Amino acid sequence: MNELVTRVANAVGIEPALAEKAIGMMLGFLQREAADGPVARMIEAIPGASDLVAQYNGEGEGKGLLGGLMSALGGGGVMGLGQQLMSQGLGMGEITGLAKETLAVAREHAGAETVDEVVDSVPGLSQFV
């Protein structure tokens, strides 16, 4: 287990396996939704983050008709990620803690400017972090 997963699990008070999956889902979401350059720099800078994205990117996405309709109607985004994380058993407080702690680690490794570019490039994300 890497430093990111350990720190998030301890800070949020969730099991490491759940933290690992949730971080991977969140970083995968950012990889898909955020500005390409900054998000790539951020993920590469965090030890173990690329592996989490590779393992969990797309996990929890709606695959059926409803998932397809949500994507077609733009119903994904930050709220879609929140729904996916809630379906893993996380509450809103835990999701907010997960996001804040993950981005705190990202700032330590990638720098505040890069992380701020990522956050600013995703509509609605700044209100949760």
Side-chain angles (χ1 to χ4, degrees), residues 17-128:
L18 179 56
E20 180 178 89
K21 186 173 189 176
I23 294 164
M25 291 169 67
M26 186 177 92
L27 292 175
F29 165 81
L30 291 174
Q31 187 178 54
R32 290 188 306 276
E33 301 291 328
D36 290 342
V39 77
R41 289 192 304 275
M42 183 184 85
I43 290 172
E44 288 170 12
I46 306 168
S50 295
D51 294 336
L52 293 177
V53 171
Q55 189 172 353
Y56 297 108
N57 191 8
E59 187 83 26
E61 284 185 6
K63 302 284 190 233
L65 178 62
L66 186 58
L69 282 171
M70 289 290 285
S71 295
L73 297 173
V78 172
M79 297 310 290
L81 175 64
Q83 291 289 331
Q84 291 169 21
L85 293 171
M86 283 188 242
S87 75
Q88 300 299 316
L90 294 172
M92 276 312 287
E94 292 167 323
I95 293 169
T96 300
L98 167 88
K100 288 182 178 184
E101 191 63 28
T102 300
L103 292 179
V105 172
R107 282 184 176 88
E108 292 171 18
H109 291 283
E113 186 176 330
T114 297
V115 175
D116 290 345
E117 286 180 58
V118 170
V119 171
D120 292 344
S121 70
V122 179
L125 182 59
S126 62
Q127 66 186 340
F128 295 102

